Amino acid sequence: TYMSGGWDSVCGGGLWWTTAKSYKNAIPNELFLDVAAKLANRTSGAASASYLAWAQKEWTWFSNSGMINSSNLINDGLTASCANNNGNTWTYNQGVILSGLVELHKADQDPTLLSKAQAIATAAITKLVDTNGILIEKTVTGGDAPQFKGIFTRNLMALYQVVPMAEYKAFIDANANSIWANDRGPNDEFGASWQGPFDSGDATRQSSALD
């Protein structure tokens, strides 16, 4: 309810990054889609219908916002003139949307949702990787960026559970094996670069790797 209160007509709809209302971007809208669709699948009656309506409204807006680029990757957000800002294609932005689309598909059985999720997933695992197919982030500085790859992988798992594509499993296995072989510290702590070498260990890096 609180999240839906932030929806307005700027750029045709969508949620803002913060209550300062200076930036409309991908992640709050992806999270809103995911939350609304999950609630639609876990409630009944009028409540479920309301959550489903919000999830469908969010996806309609998001899919037409321009944030999904021609490569099927999601840029960070929109400019002040409501165009794709060509910002970072953070791995978590490619991940959270997968869970949202899976949940929305469970709710309304729209077959185009899984097709779009697969297109985004395939783009991420082929374009946001090194030469060995290991997921990389443009930068892993700060307190949150080291978490992003784990969020992507967790949500790729959600897609794999309903669309068990062999390449998804192979990708996840390859990344897990690389973490263990190349990104492990002396006390089995994991770093931010899954291709190695180990940089440092903290809760964000560790939980991301464990995902």
Side-chain angles (χ1 to χ4, degrees):
T1 299
Y2 178 77
M3 293 172 77
S4 64
W7 188 282
D8 65 17
S9 62
V10 176
C11 296
L15 300 182
W16 296 90
W17 170 233
T18 70
T19 54
K21 296 185 177 182
S22 60
Y23 183 41
K24 285 201 170 178
N25 62 324
I27 194 60
N29 288 285
E30 294 182 24
L31 290 167
F32 184 52
L33 169 66
D34 195 36
V35 168
K38 284 178 175 175
L39 285 169
N41 287 324
R42 290 159 177 79
T43 55
S44 59
S48 178
S50 177
Y51 293 132
L52 177 57
W54 269 116
Q56 291 171 325
K57 183 175 183 177
E58 172 62 64
W59 173 241
T60 297
W61 177 81
F62 191 92
S63 62
N64 291 296
S65 69
M67 280 187 284
I68 305 175
N69 64 34
S70 60
S71 297
N72 280 311
L73 291 173
I74 299 169
N75 292 100
D76 191 65
L78 301 176
T79 65
S81 59
C82 301
N84 186 315
N85 67 2
N86 296 309
N88 282 348
T89 50
W90 299 109
T91 57
Y92 81 145
N93 278 339
Q94 323 312 312
V96 174
I97 196 71
L98 302 182
S99 175
L101 292 173
V102 165
E103 289 287 341
L104 183 52
H105 175 263
K106 288 179 183 177
D108 70 6
Q109 299 298 304
D110 178 353
T112 66
L113 300 173
L114 293 184
S115 296
K116 192 61 179 179
Q118 288 176 261
I120 294 169
T122 297
I125 68 176
T126 56
K127 299 177 186 298
L128 302 182
V129 295
D130 68 5
T131 54
N132 295 313
I134 306 305
L135 193 63
I136 55 175
E137 201 73 66
K138 187 171 183 178
T139 177
V140 290
T141 59
D144 57 353
Q147 184 78 59
F148 293 169
K149 297 193 299 293
I151 294 170
F152 172 79
T153 308
R154 185 192 327 140
N155 288 287
L156 181 62
M157 283 284 291
L159 178 60
Y160 177 76
Q161 288 170 353
V162 296
V163 185
M165 303 287 287
E167 54 262 44
Y168 300 160
K169 183 178 187 301
F171 171 83
I172 293 168
D173 285 343
N175 277 267
N177 288 331
S178 182
I179 292 168
W180 188 253
N182 304 310
D183 189 32
R184 186 157 46 110
N187 296 304
D188 291 330
E189 64 270 51
F190 302 120
S193 300
W194 291 357
Q195 74 275 21
F198 172 77
D199 58 352
S200 62
D202 56 34
T204 305
R205 286 165 166 76
Q206 190 78 358
S207 58
S208 184
L210 290 173
D211 272 336

